[in-house]
Amino acid sequence: MSFSSEWLTLREPYDLRARNPDVIAAVLSAFAGQRAVTVVDLACGTGSTLRALMPRLDARQTWRLVDNDLSLLARAPQSSPPALSVTTVPVDLNRDLEVALDGPADLVTTSALLDLVSDEWLERLAIEAAARRLPVYAALSYDGRIEMTPAVPGDRVMIAAVNAHQRTDKGFGPALGPIAAKAAVARFQRVGYSVVQGPSDWMFETSDCDIQLEMLSGWATAARELGTVPLADVIGWLTRRRDLVAAGGSSIRVGHVDLFAAPTRTR
Ligand SMILES: C[S@@+](CC[C@H](N)C(=O)[O-])C[C@H]1O[C@@H](n2cnc3c(N)ncnc32)[C@H](O)[C@@H]1O
């Protein structure tokens, strides 16, 4: 599945605002006093997690940015010595997760990835992280909650279609979609990790028109691909919702969850 840099750029400020402060505080506290930190960012896109975390981590930082999309990697931040060293690593994480994790690392990060992966892949991540005793900061996993204000006819059926589409294969086998964060907490606890988690919902206000329009189109496409909602109903719903956005009368909340999982047991 591919993601445009335009979409990632559009969502990044909302992601940044949504990131759960308690979860970030737990990440920072795990590295307090450490002079150097090496981070592996899985499915980095253009480097949103680096931009979110780097200014807050009080240490010399080495980031390994991993993605399978070369055009996104090409837009990732550059090194700015001596405080920041960045390398980009093209890897298909479905095939070669272990390769991405090999080498020096203190922390694994990812954002907006876990809802795309299968339970099998998530188990692999938990096992491979545990085998290396690596903490994992996984932000912005969609959790199935969509609240649109005001409501219009078709919302309920469209949200159900979106959530069903979320469970389809995104390149890692059948995707966890809305249950990703819950599954991740269970998987990490099973390998002896303690987990701090919290909501990181997107809040689109009436003035956030571009991202609302982009989201609504994406949801309509998902419903069309799923094929369970008649096309005329999808179009009618999209038109009603777009008209509300254009009139400055639509706000949308999209539920997400952030988590920080850290090993507790000694091997
Ligand atoms: C929703 S985007 C999130 C990007 C970034 N973490 C962010 O928050 O802006 C999902 C990312 O997963 C990457 N991705 C999808 N499948 C992948 C795979 N099999 N191997 C490596 N990266 C993959 C995409 O290229 C994309 O950058």
Side-chain angles (χ1 to χ4, degrees):
M1 185 166 186
S2 70
F3 295 84
S4 74
S5 64
E6 290 78 13
W7 165 242
L8 297 184
T9 301
L10 182 61
R11 62 174 286 173
E12 185 165 336
Y14 299 96
D15 286 346
L16 192 58
R17 219 170 296 154
R19 283 174 187 267
N20 186 284
D22 296 335
V23 176
I24 291 185
V27 177
L28 299 182
S29 123
F31 295 97
Q34 208 161 306
R35 290 176 61 189
V37 176
T38 299
V39 186
V40 182
D41 187 31
L42 303 178
C44 61
T46 65
S48 171
T49 295
L50 185 159
R51 282 183 290 275
L53 212 54
M54 190 265 285
R56 305 178 199 216
L57 265 173
D58 189 19
R60 207 172 58 247
Q61 296 169 42
T62 301
W63 284 75
R64 211 154 68 233
L65 302 181
V66 181
D67 206 285
N68 68 343
D69 187 323
L70 296 181
S71 70
L72 296 180
L73 284 177
R75 291 175 166 82
Q78 309 279 312
S79 293
S80 51
L84 176 67
S85 162
V86 182
T87 51
T88 53
V89 191
V91 169
D92 176 350
L93 287 167
N94 186 39
R95 204 185 52 200
D96 290 326
L97 168 66
E98 297 74 9
V99 171
L101 294 176
D102 281 345
D106 303 302
L107 169 67
V108 176
T109 61
T110 191
S111 55
L113 173 70
L114 295 190
D115 44 40
L116 304 178
V117 308
S118 62
D119 196 34
E120 195 185 325
W121 190 90
L122 185 64
E123 182 183 30
R124 214 169 123 203
L125 173 64
I127 289 171
E128 293 297 332
R132 296 165 175 79
R133 297 196 50 73
L134 285 170
V136 178
Y137 168 47
L140 296 152
S141 303
Y142 170 63
D143 73 357
R145 288 176 297 122
I146 297 174
E147 292 164 22
M148 293 179 276
T149 311
V152 302
D155 283 349
R156 203 179 42 79
V157 76
M158 286 297 291
I159 292 169
V162 167
N163 285 339
H165 188 273
Q166 286 277 322
R167 302 297 308 265
T168 61
D169 192 338
K170 308 289 188 303
F172 292 84
L176 286 160
I179 63 163
K182 208 176 264 183
V185 172
R187 286 280 176 213
F188 282 113
Q189 286 174 338
R190 215 167 299 158
V191 293
Y193 277 42
S194 68
V195 181
V196 177
Q197 60 174 315
S200 51
D201 295 357
W202 278 341
M203 305 289 298
F204 303 145
E205 307 300 340
T206 51
S207 56
D208 299 321
C209 297
D210 290 348
I211 191 139
Q212 288 201 39
L213 292 173
E214 200 59 34
M215 280 280 22
L216 294 168
S217 298
W219 289 340
T221 302
R224 182 180 55 72
E225 283 175 7
L226 194 73
T228 52
V229 184
L231 198 51
D233 293 359
V234 175
I235 293 167
W237 173 85
L238 184 58
T239 306
R240 284 190 289 280
R241 292 245 58 110
R242 277 183 173 160
D243 288 350
L244 278 171
V245 175
S250 165
S251 55
I252 303 180
R253 172 195 283 261
V254 183
H256 291 91
V257 176
D258 290 356
L259 63 90
F260 177 56
T264 51
R265 288 186 206 140
T266 48
R267 277 186 298 168

